[in-house]
DNA sequence: ATAACATGTTATGTTTTTTAACATAAAAAA
DNA sequence: TTTTTTATGTTAAAAAACATAACATGTTAT
């Protein structure tokens, strides 16, 4: 339930996303224009990308590498979303939206960050090897 | 092996870290002054924090909340690191350091980002609910 | 009461990001 | 084969974020 919060949380600025995806800022904004991603904004209007956004960008990149053009990519990536909107609106009509305070979000995120990659830790090895 | 890369990778700028940890920029830099974290820098000298840095900051915060002062926190958090340095230097003396190209790092990270939180996905539900 | 601590505040300079426009090579359509 | 559309590069100006450093201040310990 709370798991989605992490992956949709606006965390990364443009510069980081460029490096993670190896896409240019121009490309990343272009894909946004085409509604393939919808990053959040900071108070100062800076784009902030989530892990889901990055996933999506990497999908776009893969598809482009396969020679598929924007039109095709949109069909592929945005098609089950229209369905999703339907099922979501249906559902959200049924149950009331659960809201979180900033504090609650922070706590959830903290737990999840601590757990993220936990499975990689063989009993504190990381602490030994990486200050 | 590659797992550490993710947690030590410089990803988050100050603003994000402030929100994730609920610490002030001043505090975060202060803890750095005391060597409790050692964030990387961007080309333009901006601090970039890793998941490990954030973990560490949250540890510091907890300890402070418990009334422990910097001196104590340093003892607690930096003590097994000196040991770590030993065992690390020992080991690194034995085996040659494995280096990665930017490209390799990107690929590793991509895989790990895709996997990060994978266990939260019940067969694409997220895609349905959180485009 | 004094000193040391932990953090806030302010000032100034630098880096990063944004938006918007213009440019262009390659692909698609005419 | 021209013409149009696509996908992306480049550039410029303004705004936001961040860096460092100095000074200020409420607490805690001596």
């Amino acid at each position: 339930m709370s798991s989605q919060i992490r992956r949709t949380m606006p965390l990364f600025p443009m510069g980081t996303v460029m490096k993670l995806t190896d896409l240019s800022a121009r490309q990343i904004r272009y894909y946004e224009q085409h509604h393939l991603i919808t990053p959040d904004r900071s108070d100062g209007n800076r784009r902030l990308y989530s892990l889901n956004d990055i996933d999506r960008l990497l999908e776009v990149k893969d598809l482009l590498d396969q020679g598929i053009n924007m039109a095709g990519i949109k069909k592929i990536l945005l098609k089950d979303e229209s369905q999703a909107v339907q099922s979501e609106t249906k559902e959200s009509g049924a149950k009331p939206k659960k809201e979180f305070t900033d504090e609650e979000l922070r706590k959830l995120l903290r737990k999840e960050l601590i757990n993220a990659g936990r499975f990689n830790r063989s009993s504190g090895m990381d602490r030994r090897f990486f200050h």
Side-chain angles (χ1 to χ4, degrees), chain A:
Chain A
M1 288 293 144
S2 71
S3 58
Q4 301 309 332
I5 290 156
R6 176 176 56 199
R7 301 203 116 251
T8 62
M9 212 159 202
L11 297 174
F12 310 101
M14 179 57 83
T16 295
V17 176
M18 290 173 66
K19 276 168 197 151
L20 292 182
T21 62
D22 213 32
L23 293 166
S24 71
R26 182 73 172 78
Q27 285 176 295
I28 293 166
R29 296 192 194 105
Y30 186 69
Y31 305 149
E32 179 184 347
Q33 269 191 289
H34 286 274
H35 307 103
L36 294 172
I37 48 172
T38 50
D40 257 318
R41 298 289 184 129
S42 73
D43 291 343
N45 200 37
R46 264 65 206 223
R47 273 168 261 252
L48 284 177
Y49 298 86
S50 68
L51 286 168
N52 276 344
D53 290 329
I54 289 170
D55 268 8
R56 171 57 65 91
L57 287 172
L58 293 173
E59 288 187 89
V60 171
K61 204 187 175 197
D62 275 355
L63 293 172
L64 283 171
D65 286 348
Q66 292 175 228
I68 300 164
N69 65 7
M70 280 288 118
I73 293 175
K74 284 199 220 177
K75 268 273 164 50
I76 293 165
L77 294 182
L78 300 180
K79 85 163 187 293
D80 34 20
E81 295 206 7
S82 52
Q83 298 174 339
V85 170
Q86 287 188 325
S87 56
E88 186 181 14
T89 41
K90 254 185 233 166
E91 288 216 53
S92 70
K95 42 177 168 176
K97 265 176 203 159
K98 208 172 193 174
E99 288 297 332
F100 295 89
T101 67
D102 280 4
E103 181 65 14
E104 286 171 323
L105 281 180
R106 248 201 46 256
K107 280 185 183 159
L108 281 167
L109 180 73
R110 174 197 303 209
K111 272 200 299 191
E112 296 188 339
L113 281 180
I114 287 169
N115 280 327
R118 172 71 82 209
F119 59 90
N120 299 308
R121 300 190 165 188
S122 9
S123 68
M125 271 196 57
D126 51 331
R127 196 166 294 109
R128 230 178 298 123
F129 283 92
F130 302 85
H131 54 310

